[in-house]
Amino acid sequence: MTKNTLSITDNRTGQTYEIPIEHDTINAMDLRQIKVNPGDFGMMSYDPAFKNTASTKSTITYIDGGKGILRYRGYPIEQLAEKSNYLEVAYLILFGELPTKAQYDQWEYDILHHTFVHENIKQLMHVFRHDAHPMGMFIATVAAMSTFYPEGRDIMNEAERLKQIQRLIAKVPTVAAFSYRHSRGLPYVYPDNDLSYTGNFLNMLDKMTEVKYKPNPVLERALDVLFILHADHEQNCGTAAMRVIGSSHTDPYTAMAGAAAALYGPLHGGANEAVLRMLLEIGDVKHVPEFIKGVKNRERLLMGFGHRVYKNYDPRAKIIKQIADQVFAETGRNPLLDIALELERIALEDDFFVQRNLYPNVDFYSGIIYQAMRFPIAMFPVLFAIPRTVGWLAQWVEMLKDPDQKIARPRQIYLGPDVRDYVPMEARG
Ligand code: ACO
């Protein structure tokens, strides 16, 4: 008869331990009983970068990296991208079920009526340098928002928690749009609550002298689908940061500023910006083979390729490739697309990439669309952070409600010097 346990024999002592298996996983704390002497600390597992360590149980997002599957709360990303909209998906991610009509209407109302920011937030953003990176402005402003809503520290109060969640989802497009207008030296545009979530964002970015801004419906929908694709991605670097910071019971604004900071890096959400800069540097399809040679010689990375979890085509990249055609029909074709397609074609045939299961990830094509929509390159990580807000917050709530969770505090293997006595400066060699 099979048993759901793992037997471990410690060859230092000859002792065998039987460790329970749950969900194909062992509990790392069960290793602690493995000791050579009763006074030992006990066995630990070593896993830098959490490559094989589950830090939580979760019911939000499912990924099968080998098969290229992504689902939110069980719903395939392809169906959500085709049939839903960002605010509905945000509700699904946060509350676990698709909303009824009445629930959706209330949710949409609540979000669209929290879009304004305090005037002092506007002043605060105004003091950044004219060429400040919008992601730096975004991170700093989200952190500063904690000082405007001190009740956000009451994190165990469900009603207060929901209020901060609504505020954050509602206000991040406003903060993002202000950071963009600041970098262009343009006056900030206040939200228009008659427009959709994405339509209002476009309004705050683009509105000039017109009395009523009318978003282009194709671009509005394309951006909304991009927001759906970026809404959550289980325990990625930014989300892990959100959970770790939140585990010390800090307020959601401060925790989210940390999550956004993690997202900013070029190995994570900053990759969309890095991809565009890479494509511009390559400049022409004829330079692609030379560039690929450099990647294979380890001189640089092919940005927008590879993923910790996906060892197959990122399903989000597939959907983005389809949206590109709709966007280009409105904006004109982005010539960088030809370079990207050639990079992908060569990489998918080349042994270096095949052997390492390197496929395009979400960031490979998103930047090309954003650029065609006339977003400056520096705005790309911000465009990732807006929709990821709901994922961070849903994961934060799940962490707070999980009785298994405690303050995050990894262990280390200390390999430094043993105890030694202080040497006065004059006696040092
Ligand atoms: N270009 C060239 N080689 C690569 C790339 C790449 N983009 N990605 C991975 N590799 C190589 C590594 O050098 C390594 O080779 P080796 O085994 O011979 O040493 C092998 O593929 C495995 O890669 P790791 O770095 O071990 O994979 P890891 O899971 O740690 O990293 C990551 C994943 C960070 C995404 C990596 O693929 C990368 O740097 N990609 C480029 C940046 C990028 O596009 N990031 C966005 C990811 S999506 C997101 O975060 C939203």
Side-chain angles (χ1 to χ4, degrees):
M1 205 184 79
T2 57
K3 269 168 97 184
N4 229 7
T5 60
L6 181 75
S7 294
I8 299 178
T9 302
D10 184 345
N11 293 320
R12 299 171 302 177
T13 58
Q15 205 171 327
T16 296
Y17 303 83
E18 191 168 334
I19 292 180
I21 299 175
E22 196 190 2
H23 310 297
D24 293 332
T25 308
I26 60 162
N27 189 322
M29 280 306 286
D30 285 338
L31 299 175
R32 196 66 81 70
Q33 61 186 304
I34 304 175
K35 299 178 179 190
V36 174
N37 300 306
D40 278 358
F41 181 76
M43 180 80 73
M44 296 190 299
S45 62
Y46 176 58
D47 188 8
F50 309 114
K51 290 198 286 280
N52 196 38
T53 294
S55 63
T56 188
K57 295 171 185 163
S58 182
T59 61
I60 301 173
T61 290
Y62 173 78
I63 300 176
D64 183 328
K67 296 194 182 121
I69 292 173
L70 169 62
R71 297 180 198 136
Y72 298 153
R73 303 283 190 185
Y75 293 100
I77 191 69
E78 294 79 8
Q79 290 183 26
L80 294 171
E82 188 192 334
K83 298 181 177 147
S84 188
N85 66 51
Y86 175 69
L87 276 191
E88 185 180 62
V89 168
Y91 184 99
L92 170 70
I93 287 176
L94 210 47
F95 301 109
E97 296 297 336
L98 287 167
T100 62
K101 169 92 174 74
Q103 286 168 331
Y104 180 79
D105 289 348
Q106 183 63 50
W107 171 244
E108 186 185 51
Y109 179 91
D110 287 340
I111 298 301
L112 297 184
H113 287 78
H114 282 97
T115 49
F116 275 70
V117 293
H118 194 288
E119 280 295 291
N120 288 8
I121 289 182
K122 200 179 87 178
Q123 305 297 334
L124 185 129
M125 296 186 76
H126 190 65
V127 299
F128 279 94
R129 261 183 66 132
H130 68 280
D131 57 354
H133 195 292
M135 192 63 176
M137 290 179 71
F138 181 87
I139 294 166
T141 307
V142 169
M145 279 164 74
S146 73
T147 66
F148 289 81
Y149 307 109
E151 65 274 25
R153 278 180 284 182
D154 195 1
I155 56 162
M156 293 305 172
N157 177 331
E158 192 146 2
E160 279 301 346
R161 217 163 45 208
L162 182 58
K163 177 57 83 60
Q164 314 319 317
I165 288 172
Q166 288 169 346
R167 280 181 172 142
L168 271 164
I169 294 172
K171 293 181 201 310
V172 285
T174 313
V175 171
F178 283 12
S179 71
Y180 166 78
R181 300 283 292 204
H182 180 85
S183 67
R184 303 283 311 274
L186 293 168
Y188 302 163
V189 176
Y190 288 109
D192 178 345
N193 295 351
D194 295 339
L195 298 173
S196 72
Y197 186 78
T198 330
N200 171 49
F201 179 49
L202 290 172
N203 159 64
M204 293 186 289
L205 294 168
D206 287 344
K207 187 169 188 281
M208 296 305 283
T209 54
E210 59 272 48
V211 177
K212 186 83 181 166
Y213 176 86
K214 285 204 190 75
N216 174 318
V218 176
L219 302 188
E220 182 182 3
R221 175 65 192 159
L223 197 57
D224 206 60
V225 175
L226 285 160
F227 279 7
I228 292 173
L229 302 182
H230 287 88
D232 191 51
H233 213 235
E234 52 118 308
Q235 308 311 313
N236 57 82
C237 180
T239 303
M242 181 83 193
R243 281 177 173 264
V244 168
I245 300 170
S247 77
S248 75
H249 291 184
T250 190
D251 68 87
Y253 301 95
T254 309
M256 210 185 98
L263 185 75
Y264 191 9
L267 296 187
H268 190 15
N272 52 17
E273 181 177 350
V275 168
L276 232 282
R277 296 195 194 284
M278 173 187 80
L279 295 175
L280 287 169
E281 186 195 325
I282 295 172
D284 196 295
V285 173
K286 67 174 190 266
H287 300 138
V288 167
E290 187 60 25
F291 183 85
I292 293 278
K293 214 163 111 193
V295 172
K296 288 165 67 176
N297 287 341
R298 310 275 185 177
E299 287 155 24
R300 53 193 310 167
L301 290 172
L302 175 52
M303 300 311 286
F305 258 68
H307 199 276
R308 171 61 60 77
V309 179
Y310 292 120
K311 302 301 168 196
N312 200 325
Y313 214 102
D314 182 335
R316 300 168 298 175
K318 260 187 208 158
I319 300 170
I320 292 178
K321 237 174 134 178
Q322 291 157 13
I323 306 172
D325 294 333
Q326 297 155 25
V327 170
F328 295 158
E330 289 297 308
T331 60
R333 191 178 156 87
N334 187 338
L336 294 179
L337 181 67
D338 294 326
I339 301 175
L341 288 170
E342 182 63 1
L343 276 172
E344 180 186 323
R345 189 188 68 73
I346 296 187
L348 293 185
E349 284 175 357
D350 191 295
D351 269 358
F352 178 92
F353 298 90
V354 174
Q355 278 166 12
R356 290 170 178 79
N357 292 315
L358 298 173
Y359 290 88
N361 59 48
V362 68
D363 291 315
F364 193 64
Y365 287 106
S366 60
I368 300 174
I369 301 185
Y370 293 145
Q371 202 201 31
M373 292 172 82
R374 291 189 294 111
F375 283 107
I377 298 175
M379 273 300 282
F380 296 179
V382 180
L383 294 168
F384 197 148
I386 295 170
R388 184 52 59 84
T389 296
V390 72
W392 288 328
L393 292 167
Q395 301 267 353
W396 169 70
V397 172
E398 189 175 64
M399 182 269 304
L400 289 177
K401 288 182 171 174
D402 182 349
D404 285 354
Q405 294 294 338
K406 289 185 179 298
I407 185 166
R409 197 339 182 152
R411 292 282 175 177
Q412 66 166 8
I413 303 168
Y414 177 72
L415 298 176
D418 206 347
V419 64
R420 47 187 176 164
D421 288 326
Y422 179 82
V423 182
M425 198 176 278
E426 52 287 4
R428 289 175 214 158

PDB file of all heavy atoms in Angstrom, residues 142-157:
ATOM      1  N   VAL A 142       3.050  56.318  -3.917  1.00  0.00           N
ATOM      2  CA  VAL A 142       2.243  55.275  -3.261  1.00  0.00           C
ATOM      3  C   VAL A 142       2.658  55.169  -1.787  1.00  0.00           C
ATOM      4  O   VAL A 142       1.809  55.078  -0.893  1.00  0.00           O
ATOM      5  CB  VAL A 142       2.386  53.916  -3.998  1.00  0.00           C
ATOM      6  CG1 VAL A 142       1.768  52.792  -3.181  1.00  0.00           C
ATOM      7  CG2 VAL A 142       1.710  53.982  -5.375  1.00  0.00           C
ATOM      8  N   ALA A 143       3.953  55.212  -1.523  1.00  0.00           N
ATOM      9  CA  ALA A 143       4.424  55.159  -0.123  1.00  0.00           C
ATOM     10  C   ALA A 143       3.893  56.364   0.649  1.00  0.00           C
ATOM     11  O   ALA A 143       3.412  56.230   1.781  1.00  0.00           O
ATOM     12  CB  ALA A 143       5.947  55.123  -0.077  1.00  0.00           C
ATOM     13  N   ALA A 144       3.941  57.533   0.018  1.00  0.00           N
ATOM     14  CA  ALA A 144       3.486  58.758   0.694  1.00  0.00           C
ATOM     15  C   ALA A 144       1.989  58.712   0.996  1.00  0.00           C
ATOM     16  O   ALA A 144       1.524  59.339   1.958  1.00  0.00           O
ATOM     17  CB  ALA A 144       3.807  59.976  -0.173  1.00  0.00           C
ATOM     18  N   MET A 145       1.237  57.964   0.200  1.00  0.00           N
ATOM     19  CA  MET A 145      -0.211  57.893   0.425  1.00  0.00           C
ATOM     20  C   MET A 145      -0.550  57.324   1.807  1.00  0.00           C
ATOM     21  O   MET A 145      -1.622  57.587   2.354  1.00  0.00           O
ATOM     22  CB  MET A 145      -0.879  57.053  -0.682  1.00  0.00           C
ATOM     23  CG  MET A 145      -1.117  57.859  -1.964  1.00  0.00           C
ATOM     24  SD  MET A 145      -1.445  56.822  -3.390  1.00  0.00           S
ATOM     25  CE  MET A 145      -3.095  56.286  -3.028  1.00  0.00           C
ATOM     26  N   SER A 146       0.367  56.565   2.384  1.00  0.00           N
ATOM     27  CA  SER A 146       0.093  56.020   3.722  1.00  0.00           C
ATOM     28  C   SER A 146      -0.085  57.146   4.741  1.00  0.00           C
ATOM     29  O   SER A 146      -0.800  57.001   5.729  1.00  0.00           O
ATOM     30  CB  SER A 146       1.215  55.078   4.173  1.00  0.00           C
ATOM     31  OG  SER A 146       2.355  55.820   4.497  1.00  0.00           O
ATOM     32  N   THR A 147       0.565  58.290   4.474  1.00  0.00           N
ATOM     33  CA  THR A 147       0.456  59.398   5.431  1.00  0.00           C
ATOM     34  C   THR A 147      -0.886  60.128   5.278  1.00  0.00           C
ATOM     35  O   THR A 147      -1.296  60.859   6.163  1.00  0.00           O
ATOM     36  CB  THR A 147       1.614  60.404   5.251  1.00  0.00           C
ATOM     37  OG1 THR A 147       1.493  61.030   3.963  1.00  0.00           O
ATOM     38  CG2 THR A 147       2.972  59.733   5.353  1.00  0.00           C
ATOM     39  N   PHE A 148      -1.530  59.943   4.130  1.00  0.00           N
ATOM     40  CA  PHE A 148      -2.840  60.565   3.910  1.00  0.00           C
ATOM     41  C   PHE A 148      -3.971  59.704   4.480  1.00  0.00           C
ATOM     42  O   PHE A 148      -5.055  60.204   4.733  1.00  0.00           O
ATOM     43  CB  PHE A 148      -3.070  60.785   2.408  1.00  0.00           C
ATOM     44  CG  PHE A 148      -2.204  61.875   1.836  1.00  0.00           C
ATOM     45  CD1 PHE A 148      -0.885  61.626   1.488  1.00  0.00           C
ATOM     46  CD2 PHE A 148      -2.701  63.154   1.678  1.00  0.00           C
ATOM     47  CE1 PHE A 148      -0.082  62.630   0.974  1.00  0.00           C
ATOM     48  CE2 PHE A 148      -1.899  64.170   1.166  1.00  0.00           C
ATOM     49  CZ  PHE A 148      -0.580  63.905   0.816  1.00  0.00           C
ATOM     50  N   TYR A 149      -3.711  58.418   4.604  1.00  0.00           N
ATOM     51  CA  TYR A 149      -4.756  57.490   5.077  1.00  0.00           C
ATOM     52  C   TYR A 149      -4.220  56.665   6.249  1.00  0.00           C
ATOM     53  O   TYR A 149      -4.023  55.461   6.117  1.00  0.00           O
ATOM     54  CB  TYR A 149      -5.198  56.563   3.929  1.00  0.00           C
ATOM     55  CG  TYR A 149      -5.594  57.331   2.699  1.00  0.00           C
ATOM     56  CD1 TYR A 149      -4.804  57.315   1.562  1.00  0.00           C
ATOM     57  CD2 TYR A 149      -6.756  58.110   2.702  1.00  0.00           C
ATOM     58  CE1 TYR A 149      -5.149  58.058   0.440  1.00  0.00           C
ATOM     59  CE2 TYR A 149      -7.103  58.861   1.581  1.00  0.00           C
ATOM     60  CZ  TYR A 149      -6.291  58.819   0.456  1.00  0.00           C
ATOM     61  OH  TYR A 149      -6.637  59.554  -0.650  1.00  0.00           O
ATOM     62  N   PRO A 150      -3.973  57.318   7.402  1.00  0.00           N
ATOM     63  CA  PRO A 150      -3.375  56.576   8.530  1.00  0.00           C
ATOM     64  C   PRO A 150      -4.265  55.440   9.013  1.00  0.00           C
ATOM     65  O   PRO A 150      -3.777  54.469   9.606  1.00  0.00           O
ATOM     66  CB  PRO A 150      -3.199  57.653   9.611  1.00  0.00           C
ATOM     67  CG  PRO A 150      -4.028  58.812   9.178  1.00  0.00           C
ATOM     68  CD  PRO A 150      -4.191  58.732   7.706  1.00  0.00           C
ATOM     69  N   GLU A 151      -5.587  55.511   8.720  1.00  0.00           N
ATOM     70  CA  GLU A 151      -6.477  54.413   9.128  1.00  0.00           C
ATOM     71  C   GLU A 151      -6.126  53.116   8.388  1.00  0.00           C
ATOM     72  O   GLU A 151      -6.561  52.035   8.768  1.00  0.00           O
ATOM     73  CB  GLU A 151      -7.948  54.796   8.904  1.00  0.00           C
ATOM     74  CG  GLU A 151      -8.365  55.005   7.454  1.00  0.00           C
ATOM     75  CD  GLU A 151      -8.118  56.428   6.929  1.00  0.00           C
ATOM     76  OE1 GLU A 151      -7.242  57.129   7.459  1.00  0.00           O
ATOM     77  OE2 GLU A 151      -8.799  56.827   5.960  1.00  0.00           O
ATOM     78  N   GLY A 152      -5.313  53.238   7.338  1.00  0.00           N
ATOM     79  CA  GLY A 152      -4.867  52.054   6.591  1.00  0.00           C
ATOM     80  C   GLY A 152      -4.046  51.101   7.452  1.00  0.00           C
ATOM     81  O   GLY A 152      -3.863  49.942   7.106  1.00  0.00           O
ATOM     82  N   ARG A 153      -3.556  51.626   8.600  1.00  0.00           N
ATOM     83  CA  ARG A 153      -2.768  50.747   9.479  1.00  0.00           C
ATOM     84  C   ARG A 153      -3.628  49.746  10.234  1.00  0.00           C
ATOM     85  O   ARG A 153      -3.115  48.800  10.819  1.00  0.00           O
ATOM     86  CB  ARG A 153      -1.959  51.594  10.473  1.00  0.00           C
ATOM     87  CG  ARG A 153      -0.676  52.104   9.847  1.00  0.00           C
ATOM     88  CD  ARG A 153       0.119  52.938  10.797  1.00  0.00           C
ATOM     89  NE  ARG A 153      -0.500  54.264  10.927  1.00  0.00           N
ATOM     90  CZ  ARG A 153      -0.013  55.243  11.664  1.00  0.00           C
ATOM     91  NH1 ARG A 153       1.069  55.072  12.362  1.00  0.00           N
ATOM     92  NH2 ARG A 153      -0.636  56.404  11.724  1.00  0.00           N
ATOM     93  N   ASP A 154      -4.949  49.981  10.188  1.00  0.00           N
ATOM     94  CA  ASP A 154      -5.867  49.074  10.893  1.00  0.00           C
ATOM     95  C   ASP A 154      -6.130  47.862   9.989  1.00  0.00           C
ATOM     96  O   ASP A 154      -7.259  47.611   9.551  1.00  0.00           O
ATOM     97  CB  ASP A 154      -7.176  49.848  11.166  1.00  0.00           C
ATOM     98  CG  ASP A 154      -8.050  49.158  12.187  1.00  0.00           C
ATOM     99  OD1 ASP A 154      -7.632  48.097  12.692  1.00  0.00           O
ATOM    100  OD2 ASP A 154      -9.158  49.673  12.460  1.00  0.00           O
ATOM    101  N   ILE A 155      -5.099  47.092   9.765  1.00  0.00           N
ATOM    102  CA  ILE A 155      -5.159  46.072   8.704  1.00  0.00           C
ATOM    103  C   ILE A 155      -6.035  44.873   9.039  1.00  0.00           C
ATOM    104  O   ILE A 155      -6.392  44.115   8.147  1.00  0.00           O
ATOM    105  CB  ILE A 155      -3.745  45.571   8.328  1.00  0.00           C
ATOM    106  CG1 ILE A 155      -3.032  45.056   9.571  1.00  0.00           C
ATOM    107  CG2 ILE A 155      -2.946  46.648   7.630  1.00  0.00           C
ATOM    108  CD1 ILE A 155      -1.868  44.175   9.257  1.00  0.00           C
ATOM    109  N   MET A 156      -6.369  44.678  10.330  1.00  0.00           N
ATOM    110  CA  MET A 156      -7.202  43.523  10.675  1.00  0.00           C
ATOM    111  C   MET A 156      -8.696  43.883  10.632  1.00  0.00           C
ATOM    112  O   MET A 156      -9.540  43.042  10.877  1.00  0.00           O
ATOM    113  CB  MET A 156      -6.822  42.971  12.055  1.00  0.00           C
ATOM    114  CG  MET A 156      -5.435  42.357  12.071  1.00  0.00           C
ATOM    115  SD  MET A 156      -5.261  41.067  10.796  1.00  0.00           S
ATOM    116  CE  MET A 156      -3.508  40.728  10.903  1.00  0.00           C
ATOM    117  N   ASN A 157      -8.985  45.130  10.320  1.00  0.00           N
ATOM    118  CA  ASN A 157     -10.372  45.587  10.209  1.00  0.00           C
ATOM    119  C   ASN A 157     -10.792  45.447   8.741  1.00  0.00           C
ATOM    120  O   ASN A 157     -10.299  46.158   7.866  1.00  0.00           O
ATOM    121  CB  ASN A 157     -10.426  47.045  10.680  1.00  0.00           C
ATOM    122  CG  ASN A 157     -11.806  47.651  10.540  1.00  0.00           C
ATOM    123  OD1 ASN A 157     -12.584  47.265   9.669  1.00  0.00           O
ATOM    124  ND2 ASN A 157     -12.098  48.601  11.400  1.00  0.00           N
TER     125      ASN A 157
END
